[in-house]
Amino acid sequence: MRLHDSDSHFRYLKMSKATFDQLLAKVGPLLVRRRYSSVVRPSISPGERLALTLRYLATGNSQISLFFSFRVGAATVCQIVREACIVIWNVLMEEYVMAPATEDDWKSISAQFSQLWNFPNCLGAIDGKHVVIQAPDRSGSTYYNYKGTYSIVLLAVCDAHYRFILVDVGDSGRHSDGGVFSNSAFGQATELGSLSLPVSRPLPGTSTEAPFVFVGDEAFPLRTNMLRPYPGRGLDERTAVFNYRLSRARRVIENTFGILAARWRIFRRPIIAAPDNAVIFTKAAIALHNYLRTNESSVYCPPGFTDAEDGAGHLLRGNWRHEVDDGGLSRIGQIGGNRSSRSAAEVRDMYRDYFMTPEGEVTWQYHHVNRKDY
């Protein structure tokens, strides 16, 4: 495949030969196991270790099945996959999955959301997923969730280009309630103000000062820096417009998870591994996703693979939706409290009113919210 069949190489390892070689140059030195080398039995090369690990993440097949494909001992396969995933995360995380460190970094993300999704002062879209795992030994109901499966919780924020910028993974599935967000590193960081978020600034074309915000669905709490939709049906036009605009920006994280699950099929079925190892595999897949979105986007995520819109704002569903179901990466329930402060409600009302002004509206929003099937 490396020599003569580039398409099969991508389908097999989810990256081209050139990108594989670049990744190997980064992680290869940390995958060398010299102490096992001998004249009779040489050590497994870093390239083989990396290829084996990528194949495991790309297929989601059992690690034992790789024993037949790579002719490596079953116990050795398990060890290689775990060690390589740790190396992949540690090497790629600092460059490709690091949270924005300065106000300028956050403002750059906001500018992308404003340009691509017409949502000003947006710092990212947030969502949570259950990563389904096999029932851990002697764990009782610790990882048992309300959907009747065992899982760990993945909470993530993405930028406007379908890249993860904040990731919190590992909370047990039974905590899929109002406590997940407040217990997460992201939730605590927003409470403590340790994310270096920029201060409020006027909405474009106005003098109305508005805080920078994250956008999420109804599962998240309403806060001054976190927007969620208005609840209920039969909403008036301006409220329906806000919900449409919020949903349009929030769809980015839905597509990010969709790309992740479509390319790394380990998320298409329950992960047959202990919870700690499932966390390691998930973090490695996220790091690889960002690495490929940055370095090989046209192949990893070609045109038409994600949701798009025509000139009238009509949704064109991405091809990933034909490949992904909720088998191993399922929607999470309520992960934030329903109570909100008056100041948080005022911030949401501020954005709602702005989207009805000539400076904040998009021409097709009224058509969408006034459709009978909206």
Side-chain angles (χ1 to χ4, degrees):
M1 289 185 290
R2 284 178 59 84
L3 295 176
H4 306 295
D5 194 345
S6 58
D7 290 340
S8 294
H9 189 281
F10 176 81
R11 290 198 298 270
Y12 196 75
L13 298 179
K14 302 306 177 185
M15 62 185 69
S16 67
K17 170 189 171 182
T19 303
F20 176 87
D21 292 341
Q22 293 170 3
L23 179 61
L24 181 60
K26 290 178 177 291
V27 304
L30 299 178
L31 296 178
V32 176
R33 298 294 298 274
R34 293 187 177 86
R35 68 175 181 270
Y36 290 126
S37 297
S38 68
V39 175
V40 177
R41 185 183 179 186
S43 63
I44 301 170
S45 70
E48 291 176 288
R49 291 172 180 272
L50 179 58
L52 188 153
T53 302
L54 294 177
R55 185 59 181 166
Y56 170 67
L57 297 175
T59 62
N61 295 336
S62 68
Q63 296 181 21
I64 300 302
S65 66
L66 297 174
F67 157 72
F68 298 101
S69 299
F70 286 82
R71 301 190 63 81
V72 176
T76 305
V77 168
C78 299
Q79 181 181 15
I80 287 175
V81 170
R82 186 179 189 280
E83 292 178 351
C85 283
I86 292 174
V87 169
I88 289 171
W89 171 256
N90 289 338
V91 171
L92 298 184
M93 177 265 296
E94 293 187 0
E95 184 176 356
Y96 295 97
V97 203
M98 282 295 288
T102 66
E103 288 191 12
D104 288 340
D105 293 337
W106 285 111
K107 288 179 179 179
S108 176
I109 294 174
S110 174
Q112 295 165 11
F113 265 98
S114 182
Q115 178 183 2
L116 296 175
W117 305 109
N118 306 106
F119 206 106
N121 288 15
C122 180
L123 300 176
I126 184 171
D127 201 1
K129 294 288 185 180
H130 283 294
V131 179
V132 183
I133 61 175
Q134 70 175 356
D137 295 335
R138 298 181 293 277
S139 65
S141 61
T142 301
Y143 295 92
Y144 190 76
N145 61 56
Y146 74 99
K147 292 191 173 185
T149 60
Y150 293 84
S151 65
I152 55 176
V153 175
L154 168 59
L155 190 65
V157 179
C158 75
D159 65 12
H161 294 285
Y162 312 111
R163 292 176 300 215
F164 294 99
I165 55 175
L166 292 169
V167 174
D168 190 300
V169 56
D171 201 357
S172 57
R174 71 183 180 90
H175 291 151
S176 55
D177 54 25
V180 168
F181 181 77
S182 59
N183 292 335
S184 68
F186 173 69
Q188 294 174 6
T190 54
E191 285 287 341
L192 297 174
S194 59
L195 288 176
S196 301
L197 301 183
V199 298
S200 301
R201 72 177 179 187
L203 293 171
T206 73
S207 58
T208 304
E209 292 278 341
F212 285 82
V213 296
F214 297 92
V215 294
D217 62 13
E218 62 278 0
F220 288 88
L222 178 63
R223 296 184 175 179
T224 55
N225 58 5
M226 175 82 68
L227 296 183
R228 56 174 286 174
Y230 287 94
R233 298 186 177 184
L235 303 175
D236 60 63
E237 186 179 57
R238 61 175 183 166
T239 304
V241 164
F242 172 85
N243 282 2
Y244 165 70
R245 297 287 294 275
L246 181 75
S247 174
R248 186 169 176 266
R250 196 206 63 81
R251 197 187 304 135
V252 180
I253 185 65
E254 182 181 350
N255 277 262
T256 304
F257 278 125
I259 299 167
L260 180 73
R263 291 309 191 199
W264 306 106
R265 298 195 173 197
I266 189 174
F267 299 114
R268 299 280 292 276
R269 63 188 75 183
I271 298 177
I272 310 301
D276 290 345
N277 287 339
V279 171
I280 292 170
F281 302 156
T282 300
K283 290 164 69 174
I286 287 172
L288 289 167
H289 168 89
N290 279 14
Y291 176 75
L292 293 170
R293 276 292 299 160
T294 302
N295 294 296
E296 198 171 40
S297 180
S298 61
V299 180
Y300 180 72
C301 185
F305 198 69
T306 59
D307 291 347
E309 293 178 340
D310 61 15
H314 295 109
L315 177 64
L316 307 175
R317 297 170 69 83
N319 292 332
W320 69 263
R321 294 183 180 275
H322 303 303
E323 302 182 24
V324 176
D325 54 28
D326 281 347
L329 200 62
S330 60
R331 191 175 185 277
I332 203 167
Q334 192 74 16
I335 59 178
N338 287 321
R339 294 183 179 181
S340 59
S341 65
R342 178 176 298 180
S343 58
E346 290 174 350
V347 169
R348 181 167 63 179
D349 291 345
M350 185 188 307
Y351 277 88
R352 176 198 63 187
D353 296 339
Y354 173 72
F355 290 144
M356 298 297 292
T357 65
E359 295 80 13
E361 68 182 4
V362 293
T363 56
W364 61 85
Q365 64 187 24
Y366 304 106
H367 167 74
H368 279 271
V369 302
N370 289 320
R371 291 180 305 166
K372 292 182 180 180
D373 60 340
Y374 177 71

